[in-house]
């Protein structure tokens, strides 16, 4: 197995163990562990890895390296997309063809689907999935979307292609929430495809953790969620964790409990009280503010072609328009992007995103330039059906003549990361210290 020395050092610090102690517990020479920590990614036999993991009380996988990966840009040609084709059977028919876009190993890759269910057949629903997604009709034909067993205007809807003006805005789009059953069929005789961009779910870590909870503990968790997490319940939860009730918390900030109740009943108006409470008892008052929501009765958010067309704007040398979005899924983003520039000296052509970006070439011939891991400029040319993945904070630009679909999700640096960074004391210093950190806990080894 390949072992990541930075992960070993992190867990040594977290467990407050010196290298000599870990070496002794793992039954290995101290010098061997020192060599492991100083030599970069190292190959270690399974037995030794297991002993090191046991010494640190972690799973062996928590110490493993991910292997060499290019986390600047990964690109794939149209032929590469075609080579990923896999037919899907559902409800007794050839229902879809799936194709995978570019992405590094271990990362979610968006998919393209050929919609093959005929218009005269109600498409069988799938079971949904944890990850929220943006879906866009690529055309050329319209498709029917289905999101429930009972057919209503919200659960049975046409996603139109765009055969008219601004063809770079290829079709209607929508955002679907977690575990929303969905399916698609053709709406006529014209063929059609969609792109399904499945983003990272911020719920995934707690869902994975909760799989190991006892049934009684999980039932209590559900009681909290079934209440809808109103500000009052959240406040009581946060206060109890800190050994407070509302009465003692109100006293701590010199208020009558009724004044705190009033602030919770209208959190926006009560922000000064909530901020004072946050400073005193140590909580993030932003959790108590109401989330903005925008969705229909099945949880999806929709934007048709006219709505996207109305959002057109310039972004440096590019013209962009917005896909569907939802404020309660802030990491999930989508843009239509028109490129008609040579990109050489265009002001604002360089793009730098705080999280990963996926691009799909909808039409034309486009060139992607980027800074590689050594700071050297690289480039590739992609035609329709080509795709690219661009890592966080990688400087890049597009040139040529064509149209792109651009997607983003919360795979670092995302919404939760930004919340944590805004809460972190000296975030820049913390980030500098944390990158490839091999510093020991600081105890003498003797």
């Amino acid at each position: 197995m390949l072992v990541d020395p930075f992960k070993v050092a992190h867990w040594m610090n977290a467990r407050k163990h010196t290298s000599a102690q870990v070496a002794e517990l793992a039954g290995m020479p101290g010098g061997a562990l020192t060599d492991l920590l100083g030599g970069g990614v190292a190959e270690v036999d399974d037995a030794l890895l297991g002993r090191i993991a046991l010494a640190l009380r972690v799973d062996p996988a928590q110490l493993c390296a991910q292997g060499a990966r290019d986390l600047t840009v990964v690109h794939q040609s149209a032929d590469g997309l075609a080579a990923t084709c896999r037919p899907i059977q559902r409800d007794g028919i050839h229902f879809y063809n799936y194709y995978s876009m570019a992405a590094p190993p271990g990362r979610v890759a968006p998919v393209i689907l050929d919609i093959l269910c005929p218009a005269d057949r109600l498409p069988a629903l799938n079971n949904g999935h944890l990850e929220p997604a943006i879906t866009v009709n690529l055309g050329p034909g319209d498709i029917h979307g289905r999101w429930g067993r009972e057919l209503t205007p919200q659960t049975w809807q046409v996603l139109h292609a765009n055969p008219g003006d601004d063809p770079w805005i290829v079709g209607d789009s929508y955002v679907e929430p977690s575990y929303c059953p969905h399916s698609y069929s053709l709406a006529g005789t014209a063929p059609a495809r969609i792109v399904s961009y499945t983003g990272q779910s911020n719920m995934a870590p707690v869902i994975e953790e909760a799989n190991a909870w006892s049934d009684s503990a999980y039932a209590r968790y559900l009681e909290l969620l079934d209440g809808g997490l109103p500000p009052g319940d959240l406040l009581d939860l946060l206060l109890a964790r800190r050994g407070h009730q509302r009465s003692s918390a109100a006293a701590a900030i010199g208020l009558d409990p009724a004044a705190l109740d009033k602030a919770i009943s209208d959190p926006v108006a009560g922000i000064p009280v909530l901020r004072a409470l946050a400073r005193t008892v140590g909580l993030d008052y932003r959790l108590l503010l109401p989330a903005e929501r925008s969705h229909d009765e099945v949880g999806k958010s929709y934007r048709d072609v006219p709505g996207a067309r109305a959002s057109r704007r310039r972004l440096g040398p590019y013209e962009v328009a917005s896909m569907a979005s939802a404020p309660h899924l802030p990491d999930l983003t989508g843009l239509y992007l028109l490129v008609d520039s040579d990109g050489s000296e265009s002001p604002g052509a360089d793009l730098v995103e705080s999280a990963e970006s996926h691009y799909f070439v909808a039409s034309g011939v486009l060139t992607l330039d980027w800074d590689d891991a050594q700071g050297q400029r690289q480039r590739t040319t992609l035609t329709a059906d080509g795709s690219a993945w661009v890592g966080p904070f990688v400087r890049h630009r597009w040139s040529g003549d064509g149209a792109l679909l651009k997607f983003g999700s919360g795979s670092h640096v995302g919404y939760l990361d930004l919340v944590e960074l805004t809460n972190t004391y000296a975030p820049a210093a913390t980030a500098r210290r944390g990158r490839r950190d091999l510093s020991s806990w600081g105890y003498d080894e003797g």
Side-chain angles (χ1 to χ4, degrees):
M1 299 294 293
L2 293 176
V3 174
D4 187 332
F6 305 116
K7 293 182 179 180
V8 175
H10 165 79
W11 282 109
M12 285 171 54
N13 286 342
R15 299 300 191 211
K16 313 302 186 290
H17 278 18
T18 66
S19 59
Q21 290 168 340
V22 173
E24 181 179 359
L25 289 169
M28 61 187 298
L33 184 59
T34 301
D35 291 344
L36 172 64
L37 293 173
V41 173
E43 189 169 347
V44 173
D45 68 69
D46 291 352
L48 178 56
L49 174 61
R51 296 198 303 272
I52 296 172
L54 183 62
L56 294 172
R57 290 177 290 147
V58 298
D59 292 327
Q62 292 175 275
L63 304 178
C64 289
Q66 297 175 322
R69 297 188 300 166
D70 184 346
L71 292 184
T72 53
V73 167
V74 177
H75 53 87
Q76 177 180 273
S77 67
D79 289 342
L81 181 81
T84 68
C85 178
R86 54 219 183 260
I88 299 297
Q89 300 290 317
R90 180 182 293 167
D91 202 24
I93 64 172
H94 185 183
F95 205 85
Y96 296 137
N97 288 322
Y98 272 93
Y99 308 83
S100 294
M101 287 167 48
R107 297 292 182 101
V108 173
V111 292
I112 307 296
L113 286 74
D114 293 328
I115 306 303
L116 303 177
C117 182
D120 60 358
R121 183 174 181 137
L122 187 66
L125 286 169
N126 67 14
N127 295 319
H129 39 71
L130 171 62
E131 296 79 9
I134 297 178
T135 299
V136 185
N137 185 5
L138 296 173
D142 296 340
I143 64 172
H144 260 124
R146 183 186 179 194
W147 299 276
R149 298 193 180 282
E150 299 295 326
L151 300 187
T152 71
Q154 284 74 44
T155 63
W156 181 244
Q157 190 171 352
V158 174
L159 279 75
H160 296 280
N162 180 16
D165 296 338
D166 305 311
W168 55 281
I169 303 173
V170 294
D172 294 352
S173 62
Y174 83 96
V175 173
E176 72 188 37
S178 296
Y179 295 123
C180 177
H182 55 281
S183 191
Y184 312 100
S185 64
L186 297 172
T189 58
R193 299 189 301 168
I194 62 171
V195 56
S196 176
Y197 181 67
T198 303
Q200 175 174 297
S201 169
N202 289 334
M203 284 287 292
V206 72
I207 285 180
E208 181 179 349
E209 165 78 13
N211 284 335
W213 293 354
S214 69
D215 290 345
S216 58
Y218 193 70
R220 296 185 192 102
Y221 173 59
L222 288 181
E223 286 178 11
L224 170 70
L225 301 186
D226 284 338
L229 297 176
D233 287 355
L234 271 177
L235 176 61
D236 293 339
L237 183 77
L238 296 170
L239 290 178
R241 183 75 168 163
R242 291 156 177 80
H244 271 292
Q245 297 176 336
R246 290 199 201 183
S247 57
S248 63
I253 57 174
L255 286 180
D256 185 273
L260 180 55
D261 291 341
K262 182 179 180 181
I264 283 296
S265 67
D266 186 357
V268 175
I271 283 178
V273 171
L274 300 182
R275 289 180 67 117
L277 180 66
R279 287 191 297 270
T280 300
V281 304
L283 57 83
D284 189 343
Y285 77 94
R286 293 174 295 182
L287 283 175
L288 304 174
L289 301 180
E292 293 294 331
R293 293 184 175 276
S294 176
H295 55 75
D296 64 15
E297 66 182 30
V298 296
K300 72 180 192 302
S301 307
Y302 201 87
R303 177 165 283 171
D304 58 17
V305 169
R309 187 180 289 122
S311 74
R312 288 173 48 177
R313 57 204 180 270
R314 299 299 299 184
L315 180 67
Y318 313 110
E319 188 166 7
V320 300
S322 295
M323 295 178 192
S325 63
H328 53 280
L329 292 169
D331 280 329
L332 204 55
T333 61
L335 287 176
Y336 306 95
L337 196 150
L338 180 65
V339 182
D340 57 358
S341 164
D342 64 11
S344 57
E345 300 296 333
S346 301
D350 283 345
L351 302 169
V352 179
E353 302 284 344
S354 60
E356 66 178 9
S357 296
H358 285 92
Y359 291 95
F360 178 74
V361 181
S363 63
V365 179
L366 296 173
T367 297
L368 172 64
D369 292 84
W370 73 93
D371 295 339
D372 68 12
Q374 289 72 45
Q376 301 299 309
R377 203 66 167 175
Q378 303 292 337
R379 68 168 38 192
T380 189
T381 297
L382 299 170
T383 58
D385 281 4
S387 59
W389 175 93
V390 179
F393 295 102
V394 173
R395 191 181 306 278
H396 63 287
R397 65 170 59 189
W398 292 90
S399 59
D401 188 1
L404 293 162
L405 304 185
K406 177 180 182 292
F407 300 96
S409 76
S411 183
H412 308 309
V413 174
Y415 162 68
L416 294 184
D417 302 308
L418 292 171
V419 170
E420 185 61 31
L421 285 168
T422 61
N423 281 333
T424 298
Y425 172 74
T430 301
R432 287 190 178 96
R433 165 64 196 275
R435 177 171 162 82
R436 299 174 181 171
D437 182 30
L438 288 173
S439 302
S440 71
W441 178 239
Y443 294 146
D444 293 338
E445 292 287 351

